[in-house]
Amino acid sequence: MKKESRIVHAGLHPDRFEGVVNPPVFRASTVLAPTVAELKARHPQRFDVTYYGRYGTPTTRALEEAVAEIEGGSKAILVSSGLAAISSTLLALLRQGDHLLMVDSAYYPTRAFCDQILVTYGIETTYYDPMIGAGIADLIRPNTRVVFTESPGSQTFEVQDIPAIAEAAHVAGALVVMDNTWGLLSFQPFEKGVDVSLQAATKYLGGHSDAMLGTIATADRALWERIKNHVCLMGHAVGTEEVYLGLRGVRTLPIRLRQHFEAGLTVARWLESRPEVARVLHPALPGCPGHDLWKRDFTGGCGLFSIELSLPASGDLPEAAVNEMLDHYHFFKLGYSWGGFESLVVPATPLRTAAPLPAGTGPIVRYHVGLEDTDDLIADLEQGFDRLKAAVAAL
């Protein structure tokens, strides 16, 4: 079967639920055992047994099975958000005195977690250029335990050479963790050398802007057990209603992603033609850093990308003018998320320390193309550029 067909049916076991197609929502904390012997046999390390609600229910395991299928792994873990997936994994894999290599283009809360939380555990973080590739070997120390990747990068969308990074990391005995939220169906992390793949399932997997979820997937059972044990002992528990919404989102994921990607490319190519745009940062377009790597390693994408606005002859594009463009869109609503059915926009403020953006870079704006008609979205953007030009002229 092709992957799209497997995803539609992953985690479904109607034979267990009297023929019901979707797994029911198990709202459970207490799980009873018929005998003392059975009660003692259900201990926390038996993660595949329903022991206590916080450790998982049949609903939880149904979505975990589906996520493992999506990622191409063997096992998955659910947590309450994408950041919980990131923080739980890093805390499970790192100890005091360890060293972490973190991509410089990472999701801002990931960076904040490293700088504000990991440092208090005595764990050092070094940020690296997302385009470093095999050169990552020069940054690996004897105490480097994890190389964290995010490809494409948040806001600036650099595509990393994951196979080269993984090869260098594994030679040195380090694990590779990847935030795979952007490429959740189009990038197969374990085929490229990733050890742990993370997703903010709040985004496309949920798909309807109404559920907070995070996922952790591995291809190695021992590694899965290590992270799962940590997640459980830290008290993480994901709500069963959110899990059910995630299961609902899985069934339409391939067709929704295809539409988001195709619509996003249509809008991105139109933006390339606009004089107000200096660059379109979309991995599927040649102007994006790592575009050749995208062609090699990805089979598609999603609807999220950024643009860099052109600077006027004066060399300055006032923030007030950009805000005038963004404040009055009809379809592109201002909101710090993506992956839902609706189009969104935010002004981007990349924080970079290892690979600063070039001097003279114009303001960056991040768009998420939803499921609206692309002609309507393009008309919305065109009106925004009209407001931008009028605002610049008035200032």
Side-chain angles (χ1 to χ4, degrees):
M1 285 191 296
K2 291 187 176 180
K3 185 168 186 173
E4 288 79 1
S5 299
R6 297 198 306 270
I7 289 170
V8 169
H9 296 279
L12 297 180
H13 299 284
D15 54 301
R16 301 178 188 174
F17 307 116
E18 300 185 22
V20 174
V21 173
N22 289 312
V25 176
F26 284 82
R27 300 177 181 86
S29 57
T30 304
V31 179
L32 301 177
T35 65
V36 172
E38 177 63 22
L39 183 69
K40 290 183 177 180
R42 296 183 182 187
H43 54 81
Q45 279 66 46
R46 293 187 65 193
F47 296 123
D48 292 327
V49 175
T50 303
Y51 161 76
Y52 184 68
R54 176 164 46 82
Y55 287 76
T57 70
T59 316
T60 310
R61 286 198 291 275
L63 182 53
E64 288 174 340
E65 184 179 327
V67 169
E69 182 67 53
I70 289 168
E71 295 272 36
S74 61
K75 302 291 287 184
I77 303 163
L78 300 184
V79 289
S80 58
S81 69
L83 183 57
I86 293 164
S87 60
S88 298
T89 298
L90 290 177
L91 288 174
L93 300 181
L94 297 166
R95 298 289 183 270
Q96 183 179 13
D98 286 348
H99 176 240
L100 165 68
L101 282 169
M102 173 59 65
V103 63
D104 203 28
S105 55
Y107 173 57
Y108 174 74
T110 304
R111 180 184 285 267
F113 178 76
C114 294
D115 294 346
Q116 299 177 34
I117 304 298
L118 285 187
V119 68
T120 68
Y121 285 76
I123 298 165
E124 183 182 359
T125 300
T126 298
Y127 294 96
Y128 68 90
D129 185 338
M131 304 309 296
I132 198 170
I136 195 79
D138 296 333
L139 300 180
I140 296 176
R141 305 175 187 174
N143 63 334
T144 301
R145 299 288 175 260
V146 172
V147 178
F148 194 102
T149 64
E150 182 180 333
S151 183
S154 287
Q155 301 188 50
T156 45
F157 294 90
E158 297 91 341
V159 181
Q160 295 189 259
D161 192 341
I162 300 298
I165 291 172
E167 182 178 1
H170 292 158
V171 166
L175 294 169
V176 177
V177 177
M178 180 176 181
D179 185 332
N180 192 34
T181 306
W182 193 93
L184 72 165
L185 274 185
S186 61
F187 183 88
Q188 291 296 281
F190 305 112
E191 294 178 4
K192 304 297 191 296
V194 172
D195 298 294
V196 183
S197 182
L198 312 177
Q199 282 190 41
T202 304
K203 307 300 193 285
Y204 282 112
L205 196 147
H208 294 77
S209 302
D210 55 6
M212 298 290 293
L213 280 169
T215 67
I216 305 164
T218 72
D220 178 79
R221 184 178 177 92
L223 191 54
W224 172 79
E225 289 183 349
R226 178 178 173 184
I227 299 171
K228 176 73 172 179
N229 187 55
H230 182 89
V231 164
C232 292
L233 291 178
M234 290 294 288
H236 287 289
V238 58
T240 51
E241 294 291 343
E242 286 75 15
V243 174
Y244 187 83
L245 292 173
L247 281 165
R248 177 198 63 183
V250 165
R251 307 311 164 197
T252 60
L253 181 61
I255 193 167
R256 284 189 292 107
L257 266 181
R258 190 179 307 123
Q259 176 62 23
H260 281 292
F261 180 55
E262 291 175 359
L265 267 179
T266 297
V267 173
R269 287 172 175 146
W270 178 83
L271 285 164
E272 278 190 312
S273 69
R274 296 293 303 198
E276 300 88 353
V277 177
R279 285 192 302 163
V280 178
L281 299 171
H282 190 304
L285 298 179
C288 189
H291 168 68
D292 289 341
L293 296 172
W294 176 83
K295 288 196 296 183
R296 184 191 71 184
D297 294 340
F298 287 73
T299 59
C302 64
L304 189 74
F305 63 92
S306 289
I307 64 170
E308 177 194 343
L309 291 170
S310 298
L311 295 174
S314 64
D316 182 37
L317 187 56
E319 182 178 348
V322 178
N323 291 347
E324 180 66 18
M325 178 182 81
L326 302 181
D327 285 348
H328 304 288
Y329 282 134
H330 180 76
F331 291 108
F332 287 95
K333 303 299 185 183
L334 290 159
Y336 286 108
S337 192
W338 45 282
F341 56 86
E342 77 283 18
S343 292
L344 295 170
V345 63
V346 288
T349 54
L351 176 59
R352 306 293 287 270
T353 53
L357 298 179
T361 297
I364 294 175
V365 178
R366 191 186 73 183
Y367 291 95
H368 173 252
V369 173
L371 300 179
E372 301 92 344
D373 183 85
T374 53
D375 289 340
D376 289 336
L377 295 179
I378 287 171
D380 200 20
L381 293 170
E382 190 163 26
Q383 291 167 18
F385 287 136
D386 290 341
R387 292 191 299 274
L388 175 68
K389 289 183 287 188
V392 170
L395 291 172

